[in-house]
Amino acid sequence: MAPPVGQIRPGRYLALFVAIVAVLYALVFATGDHQAKPKLGIDLQGGTRVSLTARTESGAPPSKESLDLSRELIETRVNSTGVSGAEVVLDGDTLVITVPGANGDRARDLGQTAQLRFRPVLNAAASQPTQQQPQVTPPTTGGAAPTSGAAPTSGAPAAGQASTPAAPQGRPAPRLAQEQPTTPPSAPAPAPAEDPRVAAAPETCKAYVQLVAKKSDPTTPLSDEEEGNLITEGKKCRQDPRLGESTDANGATVPADQNLQAAVLGVIDCSPGQLDPLVGNDDPKLPLVACDQDGAEKFILGPSFLEGTEISNASAGLDPQGAGYLVTVSFKSGGSDTWAKYTASHIQQRAAFVLDTQVVSAPTIQGAIAGDTTITGGQGGFTQSEASRLANVLKYGSLPLSFDPSEAETVSATLGLASLEAGLIAGGIGLALVFIYCLLYYRLLGVLTILSLVLSAGVVYAVLVLLGRWIGFTLDLAGIAGFIIAIGITADSFVIFFERLKDEVREGRTFRSAVPRAWIRSRRTILSADAISFLASAVLYVLAVGQVKGFAFTLGMSTVLDLVVVFLVTHPLVVLASKSKTLSNSKLSGLGSVQRTAASARAARTAGPAAAKEV
């Protein structure tokens, strides 16, 4: 049987609140790093700064429009909710990113161009360390090919002279240069030996391989002209049309050059840490030589058949069929149709998911795929951070420019712990004043107010910790100000309820009978007041930027939690107090003066008719 209107079973509401608190703290201690501490913003704990310098294919300065668009996209990636406390500032041709804490890798990853393309796999080979890569002998004239590792000769020796090799051409590999024996000052230094990878490279790749080797040597920095040539030569080598099928002038199909494929695969360096100059500069209409993200495999890929711009959404999650995490990709209608048709016609063939010229995954198509598609990180899958990062860059789009990241540098707190302590002291003083006022004015009801505020603080703390893990929320001074203001909003809800309760008692009702009527009449006012506060916070959150956005977020969140506490804690506790003979005592409840006023009013009303009758 349901209770009468306005009356509740307080035990159920309190049990629900206890269950919510238990779930929140179970998540706090059972997920993430198990540390029950909220993340702090840059102004309180400092952070990490990384500079991203824009570069274009031609070497010309990037346009203002492309820089502004890149800043907006990176800001969306790093601070999509507006509450992570990260900052992205445009300084000339450089984007300066500052993120809270020691998280330089994350800041560097934000500069990914994030161009996702789907390409067919034409050929693949296992990657090996550079010094063990297979050597392809270049063609020679007039005799047998030189043995692997020997320098090719330029011709036959002159008659009567000893057979001596010609001076090697090119520049030495860094390792070989260090191994050259020193010569006496009087003897001329021997010419450097040619890098064996340059000697093994096909003609279209020689200049590219030599530039890559030079760039990997910190003692031989590339000039601006060579940096531009690195992209041009990389396209000639790694995007040679002969690597895939092509058509001649008559429209006939020309098959891929298998020898050229093997030669290019043999000289491409997939060792970790190599900066790919083609990131953001590859042509989707041409084949591509690419490495996987771990540098374990090399691929010859065909032209792109589907662009990442056809992606409508991307999310990270646990792999239900294996270890690690995966990324689920949803396509737009056109992209979904293209993907379904391609997978239906290429069963048992490999398709590569290529992100910024690196192969993220190259699975074998087992059947036609209609709908969402999952991207796995190969054996072992992605880690949680890798999957989240990939889903993030795919979801928010690719950058119009390529960027070279700088080394991460630590930034000290702009305000420091002294400011945090000042903010906490201010909040503590405000809370203490509210407690004192409630105890003096409401007595027992004031005690219930204090208990409700303490429980509300416990819920807020757990939510802060979880939001820091889930959406990167960081607590800064603006957020602390929002919570301090929220104390007043929460206290307002209690005041509305208690004053309505006093009005009911003044009308002659007992504490117990006044509670349900007071709750019905005050509930609508509480909801209206909190709704207005929440709408104001929402508008401020949408329109504001920077720390003001964090202030609006905390204020709005506290308003919602205020309703939870008032409905599930404060009201049930008042109901329990009204049903207790001890707690409902007028000396404890704080309603004694109100009850005496009501009794005097009733006596006056009764005495009035009696006096009139005597007259």
Side-chain angles (χ1 to χ4, degrees):
M1 179 177 178
V5 177
Q7 296 185 4
I8 63 170
R9 295 186 174 93
R12 294 185 178 181
Y13 286 79
L14 293 173
L16 177 59
F17 181 79
V18 171
I20 292 174
V21 174
V23 170
L24 288 176
Y25 277 93
L27 291 174
V28 167
F29 292 107
T31 63
D33 54 7
H34 310 298
Q35 293 185 0
K37 293 181 179 179
K39 294 183 178 180
L40 299 180
I42 299 173
D43 55 352
L44 299 178
Q45 72 156 344
T48 304
R49 178 178 295 150
V50 172
S51 299
L52 302 178
T53 304
R55 57 184 172 92
T56 60
E57 181 178 355
S58 62
S63 65
K64 184 67 165 56
E65 292 77 11
S66 59
L67 285 170
D68 288 337
L69 179 57
S70 298
R71 185 195 63 78
E72 292 176 5
L73 287 172
I74 291 179
E75 192 169 46
T76 302
R77 290 179 184 180
V78 68
N79 201 8
S80 59
T81 59
V83 295
S84 70
E87 298 175 353
V88 182
V89 179
L90 181 60
D91 182 13
D93 295 345
T94 301
L95 289 175
V96 182
I97 304 173
T98 308
V99 296
N103 206 346
D105 291 338
R106 176 171 173 244
R108 278 192 294 267
D109 291 338
L110 293 169
Q112 289 189 76
T113 312
Q115 292 180 342
L116 181 71
R117 295 189 171 110
F118 296 78
R119 293 175 177 265
V121 176
L122 306 180
N123 201 346
S127 180
Q128 297 176 348
T130 302
Q131 62 269 23
Q132 298 178 1
Q133 288 179 346
Q135 303 296 323
V136 181
T137 304
T140 57
T141 57
T147 58
S148 177
T153 59
S154 58
Q161 294 180 353
S163 178
T164 58
Q169 304 297 318
R171 59 174 299 279
R175 180 176 61 84
L176 295 178
Q178 295 172 0
E179 295 176 357
Q180 296 294 326
T182 57
T183 56
S186 57
E194 187 175 33
D195 188 332
R197 286 188 300 138
V198 177
E203 289 300 322
T204 54
C205 289
K206 287 186 181 295
Y208 173 68
V209 173
Q210 191 169 23
L211 287 171
V212 170
K214 183 178 180 181
K215 188 176 181 66
S216 63
D217 183 1
T219 63
T220 57
L222 298 182
S223 64
D224 293 340
E225 181 180 0
E226 288 175 323
E227 287 283 359
N229 291 339
L230 192 59
I231 300 175
T232 304
E233 296 298 335
K235 285 187 174 182
K236 287 171 57 178
C237 173
R238 294 170 49 192
Q239 294 208 278
D240 193 322
R242 295 173 296 170
L243 294 171
E245 287 186 353
S246 58
T247 55
D248 58 17
N250 299 323
T253 300
V254 179
D257 189 334
Q258 299 292 329
N259 292 330
L260 181 62
Q261 287 186 355
V264 175
L265 285 175
V267 297
I268 294 301
D269 187 3
C270 286
S271 57
Q274 289 288 334
L275 179 63
D276 191 346
L278 293 190
V279 171
N281 299 304
D282 62 306
D283 189 340
K285 299 178 182 179
L286 295 176
L288 174 69
V289 182
C291 306
D292 67 357
Q293 290 186 320
D294 297 329
E297 193 172 11
K298 306 176 185 180
F299 297 88
I300 303 288
L301 307 174
S304 171
F305 63 86
L306 183 62
E307 292 292 307
T309 53
E310 291 296 322
I311 293 175
S312 62
N313 194 18
S315 59
L318 284 168
D319 188 349
Q321 299 180 352
Y325 289 75
L326 52 75
V327 176
T328 302
V329 177
S330 301
F331 294 101
K332 301 174 184 177
S333 58
S336 181
D337 293 340
T338 301
W339 178 240
K341 292 177 182 178
Y342 182 85
T343 53
S345 60
H346 292 79
I347 297 176
Q348 296 304 318
Q349 298 181 27
R350 297 178 73 183
F353 302 159
V354 187
L355 179 68
D356 292 343
T357 70
Q358 282 191 330
V359 177
V360 177
S361 181
T364 301
I365 300 172
Q366 302 296 333
I369 303 175
D372 294 348
T373 298
T374 57
I375 302 178
T376 61
Q379 186 176 6
F382 293 116
T383 64
Q384 184 178 11
S385 60
E386 290 171 342
S388 298
R389 182 171 65 246
L390 175 58
N392 190 32
V393 295
L394 297 183
K395 180 178 180 180
Y396 293 115
S398 59
L399 301 178
L401 295 170
S402 300
F403 292 91
D404 292 329
S406 68
E407 292 298 323
E409 59 178 344
T410 302
V411 179
S412 60
T414 56
L415 296 176
L417 293 179
S419 299
L420 174 60
E421 292 174 358
L424 295 177
I425 291 173
I429 293 174
L431 196 59
L433 293 175
V434 172
F435 287 175
I436 294 172
Y437 174 82
C438 290
L439 288 174
L440 294 177
Y441 192 75
Y442 291 114
R443 299 185 185 179
L444 175 64
L445 296 179
V447 174
L448 298 182
T449 299
I450 295 173
L451 179 59
S452 299
L453 288 174
V454 171
L455 294 175
S456 176
V459 173
V460 167
Y461 189 84
V463 171
L464 285 179
V465 175
L466 294 176
L467 289 179
R469 296 175 185 172
W470 295 342
I471 65 172
F473 176 85
T474 57
L475 183 62
D476 51 22
L477 281 183
I480 293 175
F483 285 122
I484 293 175
I485 294 176
I487 295 174
I489 295 176
T490 305
D492 283 344
S493 299
F494 302 151
V495 170
I496 291 171
F497 181 28
F498 296 160
E499 290 302 317
R500 184 67 249 184
L501 181 60
K502 285 186 174 183
D503 290 341
E504 294 295 331
V505 174
R506 288 191 186 97
E507 293 179 5
R509 294 180 178 84
T510 63
F511 185 11
R512 181 167 184 173
S513 63
V515 170
R517 292 178 62 88
W519 174 248
I520 291 175
R521 295 187 177 186
S522 63
R523 180 175 56 194
R524 182 177 298 177
T525 306
I526 293 173
L527 288 172
S528 299
D530 281 353
I532 293 173
S533 177
F534 181 80
L535 286 175
S537 301
V539 172
L540 185 61
Y541 176 81
V542 172
L543 299 180
V545 294
Q547 292 186 339
V548 180
K549 211 177 189 73
F551 167 81
F553 183 85
T554 56
L555 185 59
M557 181 183 69
S558 300
T559 302
V560 173
L561 296 178
D562 165 47
L563 290 176
V564 174
V565 172
V566 170
F567 276 75
L568 299 184
V569 178
T570 309
H571 178 211
L573 288 178
V574 173
V575 172
L576 288 176
S578 68
K579 293 180 179 180
S580 170
K581 291 183 179 180
T582 303
L583 298 179
S584 62
N585 187 290
S586 60
K587 294 181 179 180
L588 293 177
S589 64
L591 300 175
S593 60
V594 179
Q595 290 173 341
R596 287 192 294 271
T597 302
S600 299
R602 284 197 303 271
R605 288 195 297 268
T606 304
K613 183 180 287 188
E614 291 178 0
V615 172

